[in-house]
Amino acid sequence: MVQKPSIPKGTRDFLPADLVRQAYVSDVIKTHFQRYGFLPIQTPAMEKSSTLQGKYGDEGDRLMFHVLNSGEKVKKADTEALANNALGRFTQSISEKALRYDLTVPFARFVAQHQHELRFPFKRYQMQTVWRADRPQRGRFQEFTQCDADVVGPIGPVLEAEFVHLFDDVFHGLSLKDCTIRINHRGILAGIAAYLDAPDRIVDFTVALDKLDKIGAKGVAEELKQKGFSTASISKLTPLLSLSGSVADQLDSLTTLLADHQQAFEGIDHLRTLLSFISPLRVSHLAFDLTLARGLNYYTGIIFEVSPPQHIRMGSIGAGGRYDNLTELFGLKGINGLGISFGLDRLCLVLEELDLFPKHLAQSIDIVVLHFGDAYMRALLPHVARWREEGLRVMCYPVDHKLKKQLNYANQIGSSWVVFYGEEEMKKGLVSIKNMDTGSSTMVKPEFVSTSLGTI
Amino acid sequence: MVQKPSIPKGTRDFLPADLVRQAYVSDVIKTHFQRYGFLPIQTPAMEKSSTLQGKYGDEGDRLMFHVLNSGEKVKKADTEALANNALGRFTQSISEKALRYDLTVPFARFVAQHQHELRFPFKRYQMQTVWRADRPQRGRFQEFTQCDADVVGPIGPVLEAEFVHLFDDVFHGLSLKDCTIRINHRGILAGIAAYLDAPDRIVDFTVALDKLDKIGAKGVAEELKQKGFSTASISKLTPLLSLSGSVADQLDSLTTLLADHQQAFEGIDHLRTLLSFISPLRVSHLAFDLTLARGLNYYTGIIFEVSPPQHIRMGSIGAGGRYDNLTELFGLKGINGLGISFGLDRLCLVLEELDLFPKHLAQSIDIVVLHFGDAYMRALLPHVARWREEGLRVMCYPVDHKLKKQLNYANQIGSSWVVFYGEEEMKKGLVSIKNMDTGSSTMVKPEFVSTSLGTI
């Protein structure tokens, strides 16, 4: 049966030209990760469901991809649960594994599991695919690559400053200007929840606040009202949503408003210390964003989120923050964590939109060896082997198609040179080389091909 | 609830030391792929089930990992199929996607789907994870990485020779000696099936023959008997299973035995042409292996399989072959394919067992900056930024632990140097650098750190 070839929605194929660009971005990220002293790790694509479930809030549980148990094991399907619409229980009865939803929870599991093999502070980077059953849209895929750098162990202000600089260095490395690194602090959010007389409602409050961009101040007020916040509480929010001035100015205003709330005070103090560590010359734009709450459940201190330049319509291209209790879920107490993540796919889209990819990236074949018959090709192969040893990327055209067709092909795939080796060349013990850009050509001994290329 | 941290059976975490080694191997493979003119592509981890199912024989269908449909869609579970033990139909009712089982079928799907964006011959390499629900054992994982190079389009003998050379170049690049590249040809197997008077039973015959290593000649005979091959047919096998001499000698013997069978003759001729193209000096060991049938269904011509050095007990570390009808399943006719695959994980195990990893691989931090208080660290940060710009990998110790503890840490993570910047250094406007190998140290201006490192 013939099938129409296609792939699942929200997934992508990468052609060579796509991958060359993706590799350019990921190499820049990796280089900077390494310069900041991060070491690479990898974790499995499939984790035990119990490792992932309940770590990302309700949305995360809903959007997780579950892997069906193999073979006979699906017989254990809990059809009663299915009949009762208990889909979670039904899923559990036929699936014990799920695909990575992010790199942070697997990292926490990794740290707890390998704690005796690691030295703390442990700085790791990880660049792997994650999967989310989210509705696909521009810049949002069901399968995408995250590039994370995290540190676990003792944490001081220098580390937080370094993460801001790391964001900045990567954007600078990509010639990407005018990104905004937005910061907030969970302590401030907790202080505000207390200030609104709802100290135990911080999650409800931050979930609503996180939507300010989408539904506006009125919408947030409406949502809080529905969630049972009093009108008096909600009205106290107004001055908080209209802070202005520099980050330092906004923190000053907040101090005045939230002076009675210890958690907020600590959060503000924390951000002030961070500011003192950040070289003002280096950072794209640093902004304080009170509405920044991050959907994920595990953040406990500072929160980062990076927006692309304003005229690019796309969600965040980077994010991160402090999480202090995450490894405890896996039995390892007293370990603090701090990290950031780059969205590789979105970064590529942004660079494409801004035309920031270097022009030379496409070139990836140096020589196409034209085919004038198996006997000539056979005789030339040992020389081809030497050119490759010398580092050249050489493709042998596989059959003796017409010359025009072969030249056309070499041109289309962007080969820099072609090599001719036919009757005349064999007689003379030479090969002809043609520069595909200039059209100029020359004959040389096969031994001297790689040294001759620059001269024609 | 505290969970004992663990990962699914057959999967692995990679610590930094593991990954450095893996990257060494995959870089060697990638470099040679590129020198042979292959371009990179990637396909999604999740393919539509219909793309993968039925392409790998019964075993493949059984060992495929299926991804459960998200959310409400699991309600469509076909409980009747479950009750009737029709597990395949049940699985289909709740799953539309599966994880990649190899890279060849997704590549065929890719070629058919993107045929108008590609130039033929199209040479691609692809290094990605695949998943198989196989019973885990040494060198066999449920999640592992394949490194494939394939060409589709017009194919000539030079390409087959190049794949043999490519195997050889990679092993040479890894200093891995005494691998055996075994070859066979489907035409020869088809000819033998005809010779055994069972021309339409080639699958049954090759499946039995493939087990010669495990169950011996008697076992193969027994299995063929059970499958209904006549005793006369089976006895004709004997001379075929005791071929000896060089590859050319064995092909000569085969020619005599199978002279009446056109397919075998063509296959033998094909291998002879290949031999004429292969430089005898370069190849690890080239062996003709009549029992080589490859479990996968799609091979149509030459078959490759590479065994590690004899004393290493492990399955094949590379494989490949010719497949001519694979893109036709996805609607693209007349496209031939040829390719090989390296098993990255097994190659790493082999190199580890033979102690072939270069010694210098572990070193990955150049400098640990010791922490004597936030004020010193803050003042030094702009210089740290410069060192990183100069390419150094620098880690700032995050808090002012006792000096001994910090030095101990720098030593354990294998940092080459440590930098001191405390009260004395600040006064003098200098930093102290200590070489962690030799113990020698010096004081220099922060601007000159990177140029001073080589001198201490």
Side-chain angles (χ1 to χ4, degrees):
Chain A
M1 192 189 72
V2 171
Q3 302 170 353
K4 189 177 174 326
S6 65
I7 51 178
K9 66 168 187 177
T11 70
R12 287 160 301 160
D13 283 327
F14 291 89
L15 276 77
D18 305 323
L19 270 189
V20 168
R21 284 195 288 269
Q22 196 196 62
Y24 163 73
V25 177
S26 67
D27 283 350
V28 168
I29 296 174
K30 185 162 48 172
T31 297
H32 288 288
F33 281 176
Q34 289 173 345
R35 289 184 184 171
Y36 278 78
F38 295 94
L39 302 175
I41 73 159
Q42 283 182 4
T43 61
M46 299 189 295
E47 290 274 353
K48 291 186 171 175
S49 304
S50 56
T51 298
L52 304 185
Q53 265 173 330
K55 308 301 192 298
Y56 305 101
D58 291 343
E59 188 182 61
D61 284 347
R62 207 175 65 243
L63 299 184
M64 206 170 283
F65 279 111
H66 299 276
V67 177
L68 202 60
N69 293 337
S70 314
E72 300 285 301
K73 278 190 176 176
V74 295
K75 283 188 187 167
K76 292 184 183 162
D78 185 344
T79 49
E80 199 186 307
L82 180 66
N84 292 329
N85 213 19
L87 300 185
R89 220 169 72 224
F90 175 66
T91 298
Q92 271 179 37
S93 71
I94 49 174
S95 163
E96 292 165 359
K97 293 188 280 281
L99 296 179
R100 265 195 309 261
Y101 188 80
D102 76 350
L103 303 179
T104 307
V105 171
F107 176 53
R109 191 268 311 146
F110 175 100
V111 170
Q113 187 170 336
H114 300 282
Q115 54 186 283
H116 301 300
E117 302 159 73
L118 307 176
R119 306 288 168 189
F120 298 96
F122 178 60
K123 295 179 84 168
R124 85 84 172 81
Y125 72 86
Q126 188 172 356
M127 303 170 76
Q128 291 192 281
T129 314
V130 303
W131 293 266
R132 296 182 187 177
D134 226 331
R135 184 197 299 267
Q137 59 183 55
R138 181 173 147 75
R140 191 196 282 160
F141 307 100
Q142 294 205 340
E143 181 172 323
F144 58 102
T145 300
Q146 289 191 331
C147 306
D148 281 25
D150 287 76
V151 53
V152 286
I155 287 174
V158 63
L159 286 177
E160 294 180 350
E162 284 193 308
F163 279 114
V164 173
H165 287 174
L166 176 54
F167 271 133
D168 201 50
D169 278 351
V170 168
F171 299 141
H172 187 256
L174 297 171
S175 308
L176 180 57
K177 289 172 190 159
D178 296 326
C179 292
T180 304
I181 303 170
R182 295 181 293 139
I183 57 172
N184 195 6
H185 196 284
R186 278 268 165 155
I188 297 176
L189 291 170
I192 295 175
Y195 165 76
L196 301 183
D197 307 313
D200 53 342
R201 305 287 303 280
I202 180 169
V203 171
D204 283 344
F205 160 69
T206 55
V207 165
L209 199 59
D210 208 17
K211 298 180 187 166
L212 184 67
D213 262 7
K214 290 181 195 158
I215 61 177
K218 262 194 177 171
V220 171
E222 188 56 37
E223 179 158 337
L224 288 175
K225 199 173 163 188
Q226 278 172 18
K227 285 184 172 167
F229 284 74
S230 72
T231 316
S233 290
I234 295 170
S235 69
K236 288 167 86 173
L237 252 187
T238 316
L240 291 170
L241 299 182
S242 55
L243 298 172
S244 66
S246 70
V247 178
D249 291 345
Q250 294 181 57
L251 293 178
D252 287 345
S253 309
L254 269 187
T255 312
T256 315
L257 285 163
L258 303 174
D260 300 339
H261 300 278
Q262 179 64 17
Q263 282 182 292
F265 192 79
E266 283 172 15
I268 293 166
D269 194 50
H270 198 110
L271 295 187
R272 281 206 182 107
T273 305
L274 170 63
L275 286 182
S276 78
F277 267 85
I278 297 175
S279 153
L281 293 177
R282 297 166 44 86
V283 167
S284 317
H285 298 287
L286 190 68
F288 175 68
D289 184 351
L290 191 63
T291 73
L292 184 62
R294 300 287 299 142
L296 302 173
N297 276 356
Y298 43 63
Y299 290 107
T300 55
I302 194 167
I303 307 169
F304 300 109
E305 198 163 293
V306 183
S307 311
Q310 277 199 326
H311 57 288
I312 306 281
R313 296 186 63 79
M314 195 179 297
S316 67
I317 53 176
R322 171 83 174 250
Y323 48 91
D324 279 354
N325 308 310
L326 203 51
T327 59
E328 198 172 331
L329 295 170
F330 302 104
L332 178 61
K333 291 185 186 176
I335 290 281
N336 302 326
L338 175 68
I340 63 171
S341 180
F342 290 89
L344 181 61
D345 309 84
R346 286 186 180 177
L347 271 174
C348 289
L349 289 173
V350 170
L351 260 63
E352 183 137 357
E353 188 160 339
L354 296 173
D355 199 18
L356 292 178
F357 283 109
K359 296 297 167 252
H360 67 85
L361 286 178
Q363 203 76 321
S364 43
I365 301 288
D366 297 309
I367 295 175
V368 169
V369 178
L370 303 178
H371 196 300
F372 296 97
D374 280 347
Y376 301 109
M377 192 57 95
R378 182 192 288 124
L380 195 63
L381 267 192
H383 296 294
V384 172
R386 183 185 317 106
W387 305 337
R388 286 174 176 152
E389 266 173 47
E390 291 165 342
L392 292 170
R393 293 160 300 180
V394 187
M395 177 189 284
C396 296
Y397 200 86
V399 291
D400 59 350
H401 281 157
K402 284 190 178 154
L403 180 58
K404 193 181 165 190
K405 183 171 178 150
Q406 296 190 47
L407 282 171
N408 208 10
Y409 172 81
N411 193 38
Q412 284 169 335
I413 67 166
S415 181
S416 306
W417 295 276
V418 292
V419 159
F420 299 68
Y421 187 71
E423 197 181 346
E424 189 194 340
E425 286 84 2
M426 190 180 249
K427 260 187 207 153
K428 294 184 176 165
L430 301 172
V431 300
S432 301
I433 314 173
K434 180 177 177 175
N435 182 316
M436 293 297 281
D437 277 337
T438 64
S440 66
S441 62
T442 188
M443 287 181 97
V444 297
K445 285 197 173 176
E447 291 82 354
F448 301 143
V449 162
S450 63
T451 48
S452 306
L453 291 180
T455 68
I456 52 159
Chain B
M1 194 190 70
V2 170
Q3 303 171 353
K4 189 176 173 329
S6 65
I7 51 178
K9 66 170 187 176
T11 70
R12 286 160 301 160
D13 283 327
F14 291 89
L15 276 77
D18 304 323
L19 270 189
V20 169
R21 284 195 288 268
Q22 196 197 60
Y24 163 73
V25 177
S26 66
D27 283 350
V28 168
I29 296 174
K30 186 162 47 170
T31 298
H32 288 289
F33 282 176
Q34 290 172 345
R35 288 183 186 171
Y36 278 79
F38 295 94
L39 301 176
I41 73 158
Q42 283 182 4
T43 61
M46 299 189 294
E47 290 273 355
K48 290 185 172 176
S49 303
S50 56
T51 299
L52 304 184
Q53 265 172 330
K55 309 300 192 297
Y56 305 101
D58 291 343
E59 188 182 62
D61 284 347
R62 209 176 64 243
L63 300 184
M64 208 170 281
F65 279 111
H66 298 276
V67 177
L68 201 61
N69 292 337
S70 313
E72 300 284 301
K73 280 191 176 175
V74 296
K75 282 188 188 168
K76 293 184 183 161
D78 184 344
T79 49
E80 199 186 306
L82 181 65
N84 292 330
N85 213 21
L87 300 186
R89 219 169 73 223
F90 175 65
T91 297
Q92 273 179 35
S93 72
I94 50 175
S95 163
E96 292 165 358
K97 294 188 278 281
L99 296 179
R100 265 194 310 259
Y101 187 81
D102 76 350
L103 303 179
T104 307
V105 172
F107 175 54
R109 191 269 309 146
F110 175 100
V111 170
Q113 187 170 335
H114 300 281
Q115 54 186 286
H116 301 300
E117 301 158 75
L118 307 177
R119 305 288 168 189
F120 297 97
F122 179 59
K123 295 179 84 166
R124 85 85 171 83
Y125 74 86
Q126 188 172 357
M127 304 170 76
Q128 290 193 280
T129 314
V130 303
W131 292 267
R132 296 181 187 177
D134 226 331
R135 186 198 299 266
Q137 60 184 53
R138 180 173 149 73
R140 191 195 282 161
F141 307 99
Q142 295 206 340
E143 181 172 322
F144 59 101
T145 301
Q146 288 190 333
C147 306
D148 281 26
D150 287 77
V151 54
V152 286
I155 287 175
V158 61
L159 286 177
E160 293 180 353
E162 284 194 307
F163 279 113
V164 174
H165 287 174
L166 175 55
F167 270 132
D168 201 49
D169 278 352
V170 168
F171 299 141
H172 187 257
L174 297 172
S175 308
L176 180 57
K177 290 172 190 158
D178 296 327
C179 292
T180 304
I181 302 171
R182 296 182 292 140
I183 56 172
N184 194 6
H185 196 285
R186 278 269 166 155
I188 297 175
L189 291 171
I192 294 174
Y195 166 76
L196 300 185
D197 307 314
D200 53 343
R201 305 286 305 278
I202 180 170
V203 171
D204 283 344
F205 161 68
T206 55
V207 165
L209 199 61
D210 207 17
K211 297 179 185 166
L212 184 68
D213 261 7
K214 290 180 194 157
I215 61 177
K218 262 194 176 172
V220 171
E222 187 57 37
E223 178 157 336
L224 288 175
K225 199 173 162 188
Q226 280 172 16
K227 286 185 170 166
F229 284 74
S230 71
T231 316
S233 289
I234 295 171
S235 68
K236 290 167 86 173
L237 250 186
T238 315
L240 291 170
L241 299 182
S242 56
L243 300 171
S244 66
S246 71
V247 178
D249 290 346
Q250 294 182 57
L251 293 178
D252 287 346
S253 309
L254 269 187
T255 310
T256 315
L257 284 164
L258 303 175
D260 300 338
H261 300 278
Q262 179 64 16
Q263 282 182 294
F265 192 78
E266 283 172 14
I268 292 167
D269 193 49
H270 198 112
L271 295 188
R272 281 205 182 108
T273 305
L274 170 63
L275 287 182
S276 78
F277 267 85
I278 297 176
S279 153
L281 292 177
R282 297 166 46 84
V283 166
S284 317
H285 299 287
L286 190 68
F288 175 67
D289 184 351
L290 191 64
T291 73
L292 185 62
R294 299 286 300 142
L296 302 175
N297 276 357
Y298 43 63
Y299 291 108
T300 54
I302 194 166
I303 307 171
F304 299 109
E305 197 163 292
V306 183
S307 312
Q310 279 200 326
H311 58 286
I312 306 280
R313 296 186 62 81
M314 195 177 300
S316 67
I317 53 175
R322 172 82 173 250
Y323 45 92
D324 279 355
N325 308 311
L326 204 51
T327 59
E328 197 173 332
L329 295 170
F330 303 103
L332 179 60
K333 290 186 186 176
I335 291 282
N336 303 326
L338 175 68
I340 63 171
S341 179
F342 290 89
L344 180 61
D345 309 83
R346 286 185 179 177
L347 270 175
C348 288
L349 289 173
V350 170
L351 261 63
E352 182 136 359
E353 188 160 339
L354 296 173
D355 199 19
L356 291 178
F357 283 109
K359 296 297 169 250
H360 67 85
L361 287 179
Q363 203 76 321
S364 43
I365 300 288
D366 297 308
I367 295 176
V368 170
V369 177
L370 304 178
H371 196 300
F372 295 98
D374 280 347
Y376 301 110
M377 193 57 96
R378 181 191 290 125
L380 195 63
L381 267 190
H383 296 294
V384 172
R386 184 184 317 107
W387 305 337
R388 286 174 175 151
E389 268 174 45
E390 291 165 341
L392 292 170
R393 293 160 300 178
V394 187
M395 177 189 285
C396 297
Y397 200 87
V399 292
D400 59 350
H401 281 156
K402 283 190 179 153
L403 179 57
K404 194 181 163 189
K405 182 171 179 150
Q406 296 191 47
L407 282 171
N408 208 10
Y409 172 81
N411 193 37
Q412 285 169 335
I413 67 166
S415 181
S416 306
W417 294 276
V418 293
V419 159
F420 298 69
Y421 187 71
E423 197 182 343
E424 190 194 340
E425 285 85 2
M426 188 181 251
K427 259 186 208 153
K428 293 183 176 164
L430 301 173
V431 301
S432 301
I433 315 172
K434 181 178 177 175
N435 183 315
M436 294 297 282
D437 277 337
T438 64
S440 67
S441 63
T442 188
M443 287 180 96
V444 298
K445 285 196 174 177
E447 291 82 355
F448 302 143
V449 163
S450 63
T451 48
S452 306
L453 291 180
T455 69
I456 51 158

